[in-house]
Amino acid sequence: MHSPQKVQLSPQSPSTPPGTAGGSHNTEWMERAGAHLLQNYKQQPIVLERGEGVYVWDADGRRYLDLLGGIATVALGHCHPEVVAAVKAQADKLWHVSNVFYSEPSIELAEQLSAASGLARAFFCNSGAEANEAQLKLARRVMKDRGTPERFEVLAFENSFHGRTLATVSATGQAKYQKGFEPLMPGFRHLPYGDLEAVRKAVGPQTAAILVEPIQGEGGVRAAPPGFLRGLRELCDAHGLLLLMDEVQTGIGRTGKVFAFQHEGILPDAFSVAKALGNGLPIGAMVCSEALGKSLPVGSHGSTFGGNPLAATAANVVMRKVREPELLASVERKGAHFIRHAQKLQERLGGRITEVRGRGLLMGVELNGEAGPVVNRCRELGLLVNTAGERTVRFAPAYTVTEAQLDEGLRILEQALQT
Ligand SMILES: *Cc1c(COP(=O)(O)O)cnc(C)c1O
């Protein structure tokens, strides 16, 4: 299936190259995967073994251009030398102590998140869902502390994605993630994304907070219309509601600002980050204002692994990098380059591509049909991407990607769309 001109062996490819008498390492591993991994993912049929920058190699030594970046996680590229060096040094020093004690990396990371956002308090956890869970728990406690316990409802949006825990899947505005897990948690209402009037009408004496993604990532890379987030901010101010931002996919430089809400010149009351924060090591954070932070006092919330020294060390390198204006500018520039060229491709392919969307290095190419088969074809041609929603091909590469590599990705996408 792999076209020979796209198949490139790495210099250190495994001793048994693909197609030889030794058989396929990919196949062997996938058979083992089939036996004991929970079959909850629709995994692409390759086993990835090694990565460098925006390239990864599978178990048979085949190289791929990775423009998915671990679903928007590997911000600085695979095995970025500075991240590797920092994590190795930390690995020789201290791995884990729990939050019974302090450790240096998480303190520095809290300082960096606070300096970059303007919100004073950080709570660390291990994933995006947990970071959102913390925001939701925060909202409930804040309303109790204010003497308005009847305010527990969170307004969220159709087509959103907030995670897979019971609370965050209840907050998610897509039935496919909820099916079979009912009863869902009460206290969520879903409104049309971008419809400020609908939100205004939905606010009532029971409303505690609004939870929103600046760009709906899993929902197909759909940005909030201009003014929407600012409108939500004003609505929250007018009614004493908390504006909770889910920056799990958009945060940490992905859109060309450290946090996507900064494009709008607004500040939420709290926000969540995770995906790009640890360059692929699992770490999430909920960041909130000094005043709100008081509602989660000693004993009220926690996480055993939260702020783990290895993950926080990786995150400190990522944060130092993404706070550099030049890096952020390059993310915007490269994203704009991709969008321009994808739009040219759209013109050339007349109707096959229906829309090109994105900001910074979070891009979606919407097709006039299912994106799944195109993603598969791209892989066969040596490009890794995935779907976001039914019809959208998502690109979320490392910020270190070059314009030439983005062009190469689009060239492969074009080829995939023509076969
Ligand atoms: C990925 C994602 C989550 C969930 O993060 P996990 O680490 O998988 O729990 C939540 N919200 C958004 C916007 C996401 O993109």
Side-chain angles (χ1 to χ4, degrees), residues 358-383:
R359 183 146 212 186
L361 286 170
L362 179 58
M363 297 91 71
V365 175
E366 191 180 279
L367 308 177
N368 67 349
E370 265 191 74
V374 175
V375 164
N376 287 333
R377 188 74 191 119
C378 284
R379 184 191 64 253
E380 289 164 3
L381 295 168
L383 168 68

Side-chain angles (χ1 to χ4, degrees), residues 71-73 126-132 160-165 168 172 212-218 246-250 272 274-275 283-284 394:
I71 316 187
T73 58
N126 317 285
S127 68
E130 283 173 278
N132 284 331
S160 61
F161 181 78
H162 299 295
R164 305 288 203 143
T165 62
T168 58
T172 290
V212 64
E213 295 163 89
I215 298 174
Q216 292 189 327
E218 298 307 301
D246 183 342
E247 289 261 7
V248 169
Q249 189 153 164
T250 50
S272 54
K275 284 192 167 82
I283 181 165
R394 169 173 41 193

Side-chain angles (χ1 to χ4, degrees), residues 136-416:
L136 296 169
K137 286 180 75 175
L138 174 73
R140 288 198 170 185
R141 289 284 289 229
V142 166
M143 291 304 153
K144 299 224 170 36
D145 287 349
R146 286 183 185 172
T148 53
E150 71 284 1
R151 288 188 158 199
F152 66 90
E153 191 176 78
V154 174
L155 302 179
F157 294 94
E158 292 166 7
N159 201 42
S160 61
F161 181 78
H162 299 295
R164 305 288 203 143
T165 62
L166 268 175
T168 58
V169 95
S170 302
T172 290
Q174 297 188 64
K176 69 175 176 186
Y177 295 109
Q178 301 170 331
K179 195 168 166 286
F181 297 118
E182 303 86 352
L184 298 175
M185 229 185 91
F188 294 100
R189 266 180 81 180
H190 295 100
L191 304 163
Y193 188 61
D195 187 344
L196 200 53
E197 205 39 50
V199 185
R200 195 169 284 129
K201 280 190 196 133
V203 173
Q206 75 291 348
T207 316
I210 298 174
L211 174 64
V212 64
E213 295 163 89
I215 298 174
Q216 292 189 327
E218 298 307 301
V221 191
R222 291 168 202 282
F228 181 60
L229 299 178
R230 176 170 289 275
L232 294 181
R233 176 70 274 175
E234 286 162 8
L235 207 53
C236 286
D237 290 340
H239 295 273
L241 315 177
L242 307 188
L243 181 59
L244 310 176
M245 290 262 181
D246 183 342
E247 289 261 7
V248 169
Q249 189 153 164
T250 50
I252 320 297
R254 175 61 53 191
T255 68
K257 297 271 187 202
V258 181
F259 309 106
F261 60 73
Q262 293 171 330
H263 289 291
E264 294 270 324
I266 59 163
L267 195 57
D269 297 290
F271 66 89
S272 54
V273 286
K275 284 192 167 82
L277 183 58
N279 208 52
L281 279 187
I283 181 165
M286 187 279 288
V287 183
C288 69
S289 67
E290 178 70 31
L292 295 191
K294 292 188 168 44
S295 286
L296 290 178
V298 172
S300 62
H301 192 50
S303 163
T304 298
F305 285 118
N308 166 275
L310 284 181
T313 293
N316 276 318
V317 179
V318 173
M319 281 301 293
R320 276 198 291 277
K321 293 269 175 209
V322 302
R323 290 171 64 199
E324 291 171 6
E326 312 86 75
L327 184 128
L328 290 172
S330 84
V331 168
E332 273 214 287
R333 190 179 63 245
K334 289 186 268 194
H337 172 93
F338 179 93
I339 298 280
R340 254 193 333 273
H341 287 261
Q343 282 168 342
K344 282 188 194 151
L345 180 60
Q346 177 180 9
E347 285 163 27
R348 274 209 301 286
L349 295 183
R352 187 73 180 91
I353 295 174
T354 52
E355 197 179 13
V356 176
R357 295 186 292 265
R359 183 146 212 186
L361 286 170
L362 179 58
M363 297 91 71
V365 175
E366 191 180 279
L367 308 177
N368 67 349
E370 265 191 74
V374 175
V375 164
N376 287 333
R377 188 74 191 119
C378 284
R379 184 191 64 253
E380 289 164 3
L381 295 168
L383 168 68
L384 302 187
V385 286
N386 85 335
T387 60
E390 287 278 293
R391 295 175 167 222
T392 303
V393 181
R394 169 173 41 193
F395 293 76
Y399 310 158
T400 51
V401 72
T402 64
E403 292 184 357
Q405 287 161 339
L406 292 172
D407 292 344
E408 170 71 358
L410 282 170
R411 217 180 49 68
I412 297 175
L413 176 67
E414 177 166 16
Q415 205 179 336

